[in-house]
Amino acid sequence: MRYIVYIIFFTLHFPLFGQGLKVRGAEIINANNNAVILRGIGLGGWMLQEPYMLGLSGSAVAQYDIRQKITDLVGEEKTNQFYNAWLANHCTKADIDSLAAWGFNSVRLPMHYNLFTLPVEKEPVKGKHTWINKGFQLTDSLLSWCSQNKIYLILDLHAAPGGQGNDNAIADRDASLPSLWQSLYNRNKTIALWQALAKRYKNEPWIGGYDIINEPNWGFKEGENKNGCDEKINAPLLKLQKDITNAIRKVDKQHIIIIEGNCWGNNYEGMFPLWDKNLVMSFHKYWNYNDQASIQKFIDYREKYNVPVWLGETGENSNAWFTDVISLLEKNKIGWAMWPFKKSGINNPVQVKLDDNIKSVFAYWENKADRPSANDAFNSLMQLAANTNIKNNIIRRDVTDAMMRQVESAEVLPYKSNIISNGTIVYASDYDMGRSGIAYHDIDSAEYWVSTNTRTQWNSGGK
């Protein structure tokens, strides 16, 4: 009987975090002390709209600009209705259920700070922090869905107060206002937001980590590369990441903290020595060759500083490129998170349909069509929000297959069932699913412009 009482007592008092991830040397491990390779995907477009995901790169500079254009057409009240519908549809439990079923073990949540707190310019009392429930409630729901599927949720501050770089679209930065680096108030709000998040989720075992600043890209020295690629010291970035770490550790001493260098996450000059025993270094990789040299710098960091490295963002290429990059990473025991889960393009696991009505709205913003009526524009926008729901999405099975099965197997599978009868046309693009060079061959199967310094057309067939 004493043993039973002891077990009950132990269960009640054992930390809830016992199942969470932590760092052991250069590895990320789980509660069973087994090394974990994170196989994840970023939920881009949900809490933060990047114009390119809707085909709006030429007509909107960032989400704030998209919102202003919508407000101009339908007014503030209906704009709020649209964004509420967007947030309710774009990510649901069915999305996370699907990702788990397809083999992903983690998701990265790109957060916009303005769902959690007011911009500094709108604070009633300067220097204070007004909290907004919307962002916390959305994150709570997502965490619940992840927990039910036993996959890790990594929180990523994608749009920091003021914006963390000169690539304005990725952080919804309004260049007419002080950036994160130009305003102490913005930096203090960033620190306070992370402490509030850590306090809320400190005992949650399915929170995989805190990715504290996505893709800083800022030239701190006059005349240097404006995106921070030539910085040799990065002192402001180092200080802010240390300050955020200290704020988190006051309330949460357990969860992994993920740091990113300057130059879209890749310039770590001046960032050493590392300052916390539970840190992971993240880097991002796009449009370059998938050879050992492309990741060797971060493997060298891992070995020199005995710290795990994680490819926190990659993608936006072809199926062949996806298979190659994941094969390279896993051979080197590096986890990854593809980008993004869904958008209007075809090279992601899920595609959002753009119907003719919303295309006419977009055409107006591009000065290629007449202004729609407020009613027509609102109906088109609400249909777009509904179209982001996975029930209405196009599932790109070949993309997920390239990220998962084709990394392990060269076997060719049917792309879909083709029922042959008199007069049936079977399209070559519907015939087989598998690796490039086995199931199919393209002469333009991937984009490597970062390596070649030459942009080329790829996937000209569009399939």
Side-chain angles (χ1 to χ4, degrees):
M1 186 65 182
R2 284 180 298 170
Y3 293 106
I4 296 174
V5 173
Y6 177 80
I7 291 170
I8 293 172
F9 179 86
F10 183 79
T11 301
L12 290 173
H13 288 78
F14 191 74
L16 296 174
F17 185 78
Q19 301 174 43
L21 298 177
K22 58 185 177 180
V23 167
R24 180 181 64 194
E27 296 180 311
I28 297 172
I29 61 172
N30 61 19
N32 296 320
N33 292 320
N34 295 323
V36 173
I37 298 295
L38 293 171
R39 298 178 174 94
I41 200 155
L43 303 179
W46 180 32
M47 289 188 175
L48 170 60
Q49 295 170 325
E50 294 186 43
Y52 86 94
M53 292 187 178
L54 293 167
L56 293 174
S57 295
S59 57
V61 297
Q63 177 177 282
Y64 79 87
D65 193 21
I66 298 173
R67 187 178 185 110
Q68 288 174 356
K69 292 178 186 299
I70 294 173
T71 304
D72 175 65
L73 282 175
V74 303
E76 187 66 33
E77 181 180 348
K78 288 187 175 179
T79 298
N80 289 334
Q81 289 181 45
F82 164 72
Y83 275 100
N84 285 334
W86 178 278
L87 291 169
N89 279 285
H90 200 286
C91 183
T92 67
K93 184 175 184 296
D95 291 277
I96 306 306
D97 292 345
S98 298
L99 287 170
W102 296 338
F104 294 94
N105 65 10
S106 54
V107 295
R108 180 172 178 252
L109 172 63
M111 301 179 297
H112 196 309
Y113 81 91
N114 69 9
L115 290 169
F116 299 85
T117 184
L118 290 178
V120 296
E121 295 81 11
K122 294 184 179 180
E123 284 289 358
V125 179
K126 191 172 183 178
K128 298 295 184 180
H129 310 298
T130 301
W131 301 112
I132 300 171
N133 288 330
K134 186 73 172 182
F136 294 104
Q137 291 169 349
L138 290 169
T139 307
D140 288 349
S141 295
L142 177 60
L143 177 58
S144 174
W145 305 331
C146 289
S147 300
Q148 291 171 56
N149 281 287
K150 294 182 170 54
I151 62 179
Y152 295 102
L153 172 59
I154 296 167
L155 304 184
D156 149 40
L157 186 55
H158 220 77
Q164 64 267 29
N166 280 305
D167 191 344
N168 296 333
I170 64 173
D172 192 24
R173 175 174 170 246
D174 183 346
S176 70
L177 299 173
S179 75
L180 176 68
W181 309 110
Q182 296 167 323
S183 165
L184 178 62
Y185 294 109
N186 279 327
R187 294 194 293 279
N188 287 342
K189 184 173 282 288
T190 301
I191 295 165
L193 173 57
W194 270 117
Q195 188 170 71
L197 289 164
K199 185 176 182 180
R200 191 179 188 95
Y201 300 118
K202 62 182 178 181
N203 289 322
E204 296 291 346
W206 293 105
I207 290 287
Y210 305 134
D211 190 349
I212 56 179
I213 308 177
N214 174 69
E215 292 190 349
N217 61 101
W218 191 265
F220 295 113
K221 290 187 176 180
E222 190 69 29
E224 298 283 336
N225 179 285
K226 71 173 186 175
N227 299 114
C229 299
D230 298 333
E231 294 288 333
K232 300 299 182 185
I233 300 176
N234 286 307
L237 177 59
L238 175 63
K239 182 180 186 309
L240 181 57
Q241 297 208 57
K242 283 185 173 181
D243 289 345
I244 293 171
T245 302
N246 290 336
I248 289 173
R249 289 297 180 235
K250 287 179 180 178
V251 296
D252 180 351
K253 301 187 184 303
Q254 304 177 105
H255 280 101
I256 287 171
I257 293 175
I258 299 166
I259 60 172
E260 299 190 30
N262 208 340
C263 188
W264 294 280
N266 297 310
N267 177 2
Y268 277 89
E269 294 291 329
M271 300 294 288
F272 303 102
L274 300 177
W275 54 91
D276 189 273
K277 294 181 179 179
N278 214 22
L279 287 185
V280 169
M281 290 178 60
S282 175
F283 67 105
H284 292 184
K285 184 181 190 300
Y286 285 102
W287 310 300
N288 59 0
Y289 294 136
N290 289 314
D291 54 16
Q292 192 69 21
S294 69
I295 62 171
Q296 190 60 48
K297 177 173 73 171
F298 297 97
I299 293 172
D300 292 343
Y301 284 147
R302 180 174 68 183
E303 294 176 354
K304 182 175 181 179
Y305 298 105
N306 194 32
V307 60
V309 296
W310 174 60
L311 181 53
E313 201 178 291
T314 187
E316 298 293 12
N317 217 305
S318 69
N319 286 347
W321 196 92
F322 298 154
T323 301
D324 287 347
V325 71
I326 293 171
S327 298
L328 172 68
L329 293 165
E330 299 214 351
K331 182 180 73 173
N332 287 277
K333 298 181 180 179
I334 297 174
W336 46 270
M338 303 304 291
W339 180 270
F341 175 41
K342 65 173 72 172
K343 67 175 191 301
S344 63
I346 65 172
N347 60 337
N348 26 270
V350 171
Q351 181 181 2
V352 177
K353 293 180 287 188
L354 301 181
D355 60 29
D356 289 340
N357 292 328
I358 196 64
K359 287 179 181 178
S360 69
V361 174
F362 294 172
Y364 164 68
W365 291 339
E366 296 169 352
N367 297 314
K368 296 178 180 178
D370 294 334
R371 180 185 177 100
S373 70
N375 187 62
D376 286 347
F378 180 66
N379 289 337
S380 299
L381 288 161
M382 293 303 285
Q383 185 60 57
L384 171 63
N387 285 347
T388 67
N389 192 290
I390 195 169
K391 294 184 297 184
N392 301 318
N393 293 158
I394 300 169
I395 307 301
R396 294 288 176 184
R397 293 176 52 248
D398 56 295
V399 178
T400 306
D401 193 69
M403 294 176 179
M404 293 293 179
R405 186 188 65 85
Q406 291 175 40
V407 175
E408 304 292 337
S409 173
E411 181 184 2
V412 171
L413 299 178
Y415 183 79
K416 70 176 186 180
S417 297
N418 290 293
I419 308 302
I420 309 300
S421 60
N422 187 32
T424 297
I425 297 175
V426 179
Y427 293 95
S429 56
D430 289 341
Y431 191 73
D432 273 344
M433 184 161 64
R435 293 179 182 174
S436 177
I438 300 176
Y440 67 97
H441 175 68
D442 280 343
I443 60 172
D444 58 352
S445 63
E447 172 64 272
Y448 300 102
W449 72 266
V450 168
S451 292
T452 64
N453 292 315
T454 301
R455 292 183 182 270
T456 57
Q457 183 179 11
W458 63 279
N459 191 27
S460 56
K463 299 291 182 182

